[in-house]
Amino acid sequence: GSSVSALTTSMSISNDWVGATVYPDSARFVIRTTGGDPDLPDDNGKNLLYPIDFRRPPSFTTIDVDGRRQTIGGDPKKVTRPLRIENGSLAISFRYGYIEVVQRLSIGTNPYTGRPDSVRVAYEFKNRDSDLHSVGLRVMLDTVLGADDGADFFVPGIGAIGAEREIRAETI
């Protein structure tokens, strides 16, 4: 079964395989296994991203609007809708100039296992201006698998990623 919990300092979603927690003061998140892969008894309750002190995990997102870079969640005055559960997703909304951003984490079905054992991290942008603006996004994921610091992760349609990589809009 799936569960959703709201805590005073964070919100989490999880199911039998995987879970995610978002911290409202920073919009940073941690992804972990719950039951993990049923064929691997030793992967239950393991972090997939480094949690560090559980309030400021080292994975974070940077937005670039017209050449001005800012860390998403770095300024509480930019929050337009606080962390919430929305259609089973963890969502938090921000505004950077005329650009509205929604960060959304949800549990999704893995096309390779057929199970809902993946966490989808998505960003939605809306331009609230009549002028065009240049927008870029950098997502830094500090992965960990067991004792492997810096484990690769797999992106469907792209393959294994083990180092910083630029992916342009037309390839996403």
Side-chain angles (χ1 to χ4, degrees):
S2 294
S3 67
V4 176
S5 64
L7 307 174
T8 56
T9 58
S10 64
M11 290 183 136
S12 299
I13 56 173
S14 65
N15 65 11
D16 292 339
W17 293 277
V18 70
T21 299
V22 176
Y23 301 91
D25 58 340
S26 65
R28 294 182 185 202
F29 51 87
V30 174
I31 299 172
R32 67 194 176 291
T33 65
T34 52
D37 185 333
D39 298 326
L40 300 173
D42 295 336
D43 74 342
N44 299 355
K46 302 291 184 182
N47 287 314
L48 299 174
L49 296 178
Y50 268 102
I52 300 297
D53 67 6
F54 294 98
R55 294 205 31 99
R56 305 263 322 153
S59 297
F60 63 95
T61 304
T62 305
I63 186 170
D64 182 314
V65 177
D66 297 326
R68 185 167 180 228
R69 291 188 181 117
Q70 300 174 70
T71 300
I72 286 186
D75 182 352
K77 292 179 281 198
K78 303 284 186 190
V79 175
T80 56
R81 290 191 64 204
L83 182 61
R84 62 202 178 274
I85 302 290
E86 190 174 86
N87 299 321
S89 297
L90 295 169
I92 187 167
S93 303
F94 305 91
R95 187 166 179 147
Y96 296 91
Y98 290 102
I99 307 300
E100 288 184 356
V101 182
V102 179
Q103 174 183 283
R104 193 177 307 277
L105 276 74
S106 59
I107 295 175
T109 300
N110 180 332
Y112 300 98
T113 66
R115 294 187 295 261
D117 60 6
S118 296
V119 173
R120 181 175 188 257
V121 180
Y123 293 88
E124 301 166 13
F125 300 91
K126 193 172 283 186
N127 184 359
R128 295 295 186 186
D129 193 14
S130 57
D131 294 334
L132 293 177
H133 295 276
S134 171
V135 177
L137 190 71
R138 175 185 177 265
V139 181
M140 206 307 272
L141 300 174
D142 192 357
T143 59
V144 61
L145 291 175
D148 188 357
D149 180 6
D152 291 357
F153 60 98
F154 187 81
V155 177
I158 295 174
I161 296 178
E164 187 172 327
R165 178 157 176 200
E166 182 176 339
I167 303 171
R168 298 203 166 265
E170 58 272 6
T171 63
I172 297 176

